[in-house]
Amino acid sequence: MRRKPAASPSPTPSRPRIALVLQGGGALGAYQAGVYQAMHENNLTPDWVVGTSIGAINAAIIAGNQRDDRIPRLREFWEGVSHPDAVDLRQVPDATRQLATWMTTLDTFARGVPGFFAPRAFNPFAIGLPVPPEEASFYSTEELRATLGKFVNFDYLNNKEDGIRLTVSAVKVTCGTLVTFDSDQQDLSVDHVMASGALPPGFAPVRIDGDLYWDGGLYSNTPMEAVLNDEPHQDTLCMMVDLWHADGPEPRTYEEVQTRQKDVTFASRSQRHIDAYLKQYQLRKMARELYERLPPDLRKPSDRKQLAELGADSTIHVVRLPYAGRDWNMASKDVNFSRGSIQWRWEQGYQDALRGIEVSHGCPFQVSDTGVVVHELPPLMEVATG
């Protein structure tokens, strides 16, 4: 039974900050919407949402609406961009369901997604001719600009007092640098969200303050480092959604090679960021301990000030929610906007998040030697047997 939504209290010394980290993954992002719904209904509304690409779009809808409007806006968005299926996918054999999904995916390539992107008519770029940089793509995303304007209240999003903090990432085209846009540091607009999802060559870069930006997933598809590098450090419960799988079988067909290539390209690099954070955490801890061992006459006020700026010991608990997939190893799974697939992903995200919330209930927040603790979801069999 789904519980009635309740207001989420603000972070306090006795309650950790709650962060939600969302990858890029196109149509797979419906899974993220289900994750948020479960958090919302179980009093785990995030204080901070960090997203890239479709994760940035979901994050903007969450942060850009008042609490009671978030789930309806997410549902309206995903229903609007999903394609009707030729058959009821729940009532047909798996082979028929796979064929129907392929047909829907081919339709997406040919005609785009209403409210999201559409093929450019008479496009010189498609035949190798130069075009203005903002038009250097196969599809136009002007429809997405209108959709974001409809579903995201940017005045509310940029209200530092009441809103959820939003961070989105994008890559500066001319130098390949990853840039984060943070509502705690600046007002965010439609352009910042669209830049985070401007994946070439399908989508054109977006110009912000004179610079062109592409999808942040080209550099780091899981923006976990934004949470790890945030200063000052504080106790945080982080729900991290993984849409791609670094591990997988050896590919034997062209389709399997393409699928494995995408998974490897966009899979989480979070462990690398966590390892770097742990080294930094231990160095900070050692510096504070060494300072305390100094004789009082050697403890300079300037040193104490610098140590204070490093922040106190804190713990980040990361609950990883991996999308299990129901995509028949399709390389185009991120372009599969089939309505049945969208609905399945949403529900799967909801169910997985409920399991993740149970895991989070046992996360202790006290000074630790580790700094970061990663929790994997237990197998479904373990959940069923208690």
Side-chain angles (χ1 to χ4, degrees), residues 276-293:
Y277 175 88
L278 290 175
K279 290 180 181 178
Q280 182 189 76
Y281 179 90
Q282 293 296 338
L283 287 173
R284 292 184 178 204
K285 187 178 180 69
M286 187 180 299
R288 285 192 293 270
E289 291 174 351
L290 289 174
Y291 180 82
E292 293 302 323
R293 294 178 190 175

Side-chain angles (χ1 to χ4, degrees), residues 174-201:
T174 54
C175 64
T177 302
L178 184 69
V179 178
T180 57
F181 302 108
D182 192 324
S183 65
D184 263 12
Q185 308 297 326
Q186 64 187 112
D187 284 351
L188 301 186
S189 68
V190 170
D191 286 337
H192 295 100
V193 180
M194 290 186 63
S196 185
L199 183 65

Side-chain angles (χ1 to χ4, degrees), residues 228 233 271 273-283 285 313-318 364-375:
L228 297 174
H233 291 170
Q271 191 57 51
H273 300 308
I274 288 171
D275 290 343
Y277 175 88
L278 290 175
K279 290 180 181 178
Q280 182 189 76
Y281 179 90
Q282 293 296 338
L283 287 173
K285 187 178 180 69
D313 289 332
S314 60
T315 303
I316 300 175
H317 283 279
V318 180
F365 284 92
Q366 66 254 2
V367 175
S368 70
D369 291 329
T370 54
V372 180
V373 182
V374 180
H375 304 268

Side-chain angles (χ1 to χ4, degrees), residues 355 377-386:
R355 295 164 58 210
L377 287 192
L380 284 171
M381 184 62 68
E382 291 184 19
V383 174
T385 58

Side-chain angles (χ1 to χ4, degrees), residues 24-36:
L28 306 182
Y31 179 85
Q32 300 170 344
V35 169
Y36 172 75

Side-chain angles (χ1 to χ4, degrees), residues 2 48 94 98 104 113 126 133 143 157 193 229 263 276 302 316 360:
R2 299 183 180 181
W48 184 16
D94 191 70
Q98 183 177 2
T104 303
V113 174
E143 291 186 30
L157 188 154
V193 180
N229 296 336
D263 273 324
S302 58
I316 300 175
S360 74

Side-chain angles (χ1 to χ4, degrees), residues 137-149:
S137 64
F138 293 116
Y139 299 92
S140 166
T141 55
E142 282 307 302
E143 291 186 30
L144 176 61
R145 182 179 296 278
T147 297
L148 289 172

